[in-house]
Amino acid sequence: MAEMAEGSLPHGGRLRAAAHHWRIPLQHWLDLSTGINPQGWPVPELPPTAWQRLPEEEDGLVMAMSAYFGTAPILPVPGSQAAIQALPRLWATSRVGIVSPTYAEHAQAWRRAGHAVREIGFDDVERHLPMLDVLVVVNPDNPSGALRPLAQLQAWRAGLAARGGCLVVDEAFIDATPAHSLIAEAGRPGLVLLRSLGKFWGLAGLRCGFVLGPRTIIDALHDEVGPWALSHPARWVAQRALADAAWQASTRERLQRDSARLADLLAANGLESTSGCALFRWLPLGRARELHDHCARKAILVRHFPEPPHTGIRIGLPADEAGWEKLADVLGAWQP
Amino acid sequence: MAEMAEGSLPHGGRLRAAAHHWRIPLQHWLDLSTGINPQGWPVPELPPTAWQRLPEEEDGLVMAMSAYFGTAPILPVPGSQAAIQALPRLWATSRVGIVSPTYAEHAQAWRRAGHAVREIGFDDVERHLPMLDVLVVVNPDNPSGALRPLAQLQAWRAGLAARGGCLVVDEAFIDATPAHSLIAEAGRPGLVLLRSLGKFWGLAGLRCGFVLGPRTIIDALHDEVGPWALSHPARWVAQRALADAAWQASTRERLQRDSARLADLLAANGLESTSGCALFRWLPLGRARELHDHCARKAILVRHFPEPPHTGIRIGLPADEAGWEKLADVLGAWQP
């Protein structure tokens, strides 16, 4: 069935496949293969109307988005992935640079739409910028977790905007570190920001993301995705999650603490994570496959990136003390 | 905000706007403006993982779809509207016929994608068929509720398929009358079927639809919509709703009964509905605007189609006896 082709690029979160492959029942696994907050925003029971009625525009989501993101033009989308798929269709054939290696769906989507895509190391952007119409940056990067300097991104936006170009920044993982976001620039010419409820809020199943940008781009994207693109449950949950400032504040603290704890635990076992963000750490590692398999045999799923020269492991946060203990045990048995 | 542009075509279900316009509080309204089953499938409380985890392919939805729809290639999509938006992108510039008047999003989507669209009356299809690459039919039609003869549709499919063309049948409202579906032909060359959980199951908020067709089309559509297009809650609910045969059987009976009751009530008040399906009735009416306003002043929202020569009112089913009584009162005060 077509279902089987889903995610033609390999992705994290494929726990069922791992359980099958390693012949360990699903419920025994500790899934650290994603960068998703394992203690997500607690979704209350929904009113029946959220399932039954078409979502309506005047439901309060617009106000909640304004309060959290500010008043730049914004479009809620069914997952930031939906925006990644649709955005490239808004440009005539263009020269597109993707700061790489990074989340592979960006390059794939721009190529699919017929653009000339080049993947560029962060340090090479300056050199390529004059030859680009669009530049895509993931910040913090995925899988490295590297935070990109704001001043640098601002300069690139200005350079691109001056000649009608555009900087696209995927900020899916930024909410734990909001000071690093370009959100204050949202709505300015030549800047598109992608945000998500999937990572920081831990609501990846919900499929809810946001695109901020100049009015013309947001309107065109809206036409592209069509009416009722976002489910009513997603709208209902989103406006409450965006408004829950107390949960957001305590979650930011907890994630920073847990991320530091994870870096320490890795280092204590001879695994130096050279970079990371609040939601995951990155281990560049020649023996990445070995470490992945070592963990999997003990029912811990981490994310293996096999492509040289950037082989490595991305590892997310355990949800609870039992998870931390299990991870400590398994890493303790690793021979660095 | 961009939100405000949502649904650039007018649609039913805009209850908040009506409540505002007629200055009657939201909770006083009886909304008959959609063709959505007002007693939808009862959604139980979801497990937290449905919100938190990315949807996975091996979750049982494939089996549930096969059991309900059969084993033709199928893709679940975030609402059949998402398929309406994406399908036209799979064809090179084509000559597309839309059996009209009908649900206006079809023509808009094919035009947007650059195709040459002509809107054709049902009786004129034969004459135009040799000049078409794609023909779109809504069955039962919306808003007329007319059921199209299966043999006719089968012949058109065969004619189109013989020269590489395609018949697209939007069966969003078919589930109450499954014998009228082309589902037994699903997977054959030159046939694409759109189905939905929104209408019969009354789960319009969920945004869950299905596309059945030849493998090549389903795979291409899958690439077009990308990974995780369907939310995890939608997948979780869909597989349970599709498997609930007892609810489906009793709902089919109830809807047929209620639709007949609605036709009788309309006729008793001098309003002859010339056509309709299990979920709504159609009143072709020169004074459609007047009837709409008459109902709205009493806080009943019906759907007004203002375009001559097809002006009319589409009216859905009340959810309960209180709704039936209110409708009877308001129709009783109408001067035909």
Side-chain angles (χ1 to χ4, degrees), chain A residues 10 16 74 102 115 117 119 126-127 129 133-134 140 142 184-185 196 198 203 205 221 234 246 255 268 284 308:
Chain A
R16 281 172 206 267
I74 185 168
T102 194
H115 301 286
V117 172
E119 305 191 47
E126 287 290 340
R127 192 158 57 82
L129 204 61
D133 305 305
V134 175
N142 176 12
E185 312 262 307
S196 172
L203 298 172
L221 188 64
L255 291 175

Side-chain angles (χ1 to χ4, degrees), chain A residues 61-301:
Chain A
L61 179 57
V62 169
M63 269 198 306
M65 290 190 300
S66 296
Y68 187 84
F69 293 115
T71 56
I74 185 168
L75 183 73
V77 289
S80 54
Q81 178 67 36
I84 291 172
Q85 302 272 136
L87 264 181
R89 293 198 289 262
L90 305 187
W91 273 264
T93 305
S94 299
R95 299 162 300 171
V96 179
I98 317 267
V99 177
S100 298
T102 194
Y103 185 58
E105 293 283 347
H106 287 288
Q108 168 143 321
W110 288 92
R111 284 205 179 95
R112 259 185 64 79
H115 301 286
V117 172
R118 59 182 97 175
E119 305 191 47
I120 308 166
F122 185 79
D123 296 335
D124 294 329
V125 171
E126 287 290 340
R127 192 158 57 82
H128 287 89
L129 204 61
M131 285 86 78
L132 296 177
D133 305 305
V134 175
L135 176 66
V136 180
V137 184
V138 181
N139 185 40
D141 184 40
N142 176 12
S144 77
L147 277 163
R148 305 309 190 182
L150 267 188
Q152 183 75 89
L153 297 176
Q154 282 162 334
W156 291 347
R157 181 208 67 80
L160 286 158
R163 46 193 177 78
C166 189
L167 175 70
V168 176
V169 187
D170 179 348
E171 296 189 333
F173 289 97
I174 203 80
D175 296 88
T177 49
H180 293 268
S181 169
L182 269 179
I183 196 79
E185 312 262 307
R188 295 188 68 181
L191 180 64
V192 169
L193 297 181
L194 307 185
R195 303 291 291 257
S196 172
L197 281 190
K199 315 312 198 282
F200 173 75
W201 277 273
L203 298 172
L206 189 63
R207 312 314 297 139
C208 184
F210 308 92
V211 184
L212 296 103
R215 163 66 52 220
T216 48
I217 290 180
I218 297 303
D219 285 353
L221 188 64
H222 193 191
D223 281 353
E224 197 62 42
V225 301
W228 316 301
L230 196 60
S231 74
H232 195 154
R235 292 184 73 100
W236 192 93
V237 170
Q239 60 187 284
R240 285 157 182 82
L242 288 173
D244 192 347
W247 182 90
Q248 291 160 22
S250 65
T251 297
R252 277 190 194 106
E253 258 182 52
R254 182 179 54 76
L255 291 175
Q256 296 293 0
R257 207 165 51 229
D258 283 0
S259 177
R261 180 178 178 179
L262 179 58
D264 291 347
L265 176 62
L266 290 166
N269 289 283
L271 292 162
E272 205 66 55
S273 65
T274 52
S275 58
C277 67
L279 286 155
F280 56 82
R281 304 293 309 177
W282 170 246
L283 294 166
L285 202 65
R287 292 166 62 206
R289 161 67 65 190
E290 265 180 85
L291 178 57
H292 170 275
D293 291 358
H294 168 81
C295 291
R297 274 189 292 269
K298 303 291 173 53
I300 294 180
L301 188 64

Side-chain angles (χ1 to χ4, degrees), chain B residues 248-321:
Chain B
Q248 291 159 22
S250 65
T251 297
R252 276 190 195 105
E253 259 181 54
R254 181 179 55 76
L255 291 175
Q256 296 292 359
R257 207 165 51 229
D258 283 0
S259 177
R261 180 178 178 180
L262 179 59
D264 291 347
L265 177 62
L266 290 165
N269 289 284
L271 293 162
E272 205 67 53
S273 65
T274 52
S275 58
C277 66
L279 286 155
F280 57 82
R281 303 294 309 176
W282 171 245
L283 294 167
L285 201 64
R287 293 166 62 206
R289 160 67 65 190
E290 266 179 84
L291 179 57
H292 170 274
D293 291 357
H294 169 81
C295 291
R297 275 189 291 269
K298 303 291 173 52
I300 294 180
L301 188 63
V302 299
R303 178 69 191 281
H304 174 216
F305 290 81
E307 293 297 324
H310 303 289
T311 57
I313 293 286
R314 190 189 64 193
I315 181 164
L317 304 174
D320 52 28
E321 282 309 313

Side-chain angles (χ1 to χ4, degrees), chain B residues 152-229:
Chain B
Q152 184 74 88
L153 298 176
Q154 282 162 335
W156 291 347
R157 181 209 68 79
L160 287 158
R163 47 193 176 78
C166 188
L167 175 70
V168 176
V169 187
D170 179 347
E171 296 190 333
F173 289 97
I174 203 80
D175 296 88
T177 49
H180 292 268
S181 169
L182 269 178
I183 196 79
E185 311 262 306
R188 294 188 68 182
L191 180 65
V192 169
L193 297 181
L194 308 185
R195 302 293 291 258
S196 171
L197 281 191
K199 315 312 197 286
F200 173 76
W201 278 272
L203 298 172
L206 189 65
R207 312 315 298 138
C208 183
F210 308 92
V211 185
L212 296 101
R215 161 68 51 222
T216 47
I217 290 180
I218 297 303
D219 286 353
L221 188 65
H222 193 190
D223 281 354
E224 198 63 40
V225 301
W228 315 300

Side-chain angles (χ1 to χ4, degrees), chain B residues 97-99 120 125 129 132-137 156 160 166-168:
Chain B
I98 317 268
V99 177
I120 309 167
V125 170
L129 204 62
L132 296 177
D133 305 306
V134 175
L135 176 67
V136 179
V137 184
W156 291 347
L160 287 158
C166 188
L167 175 70
V168 176

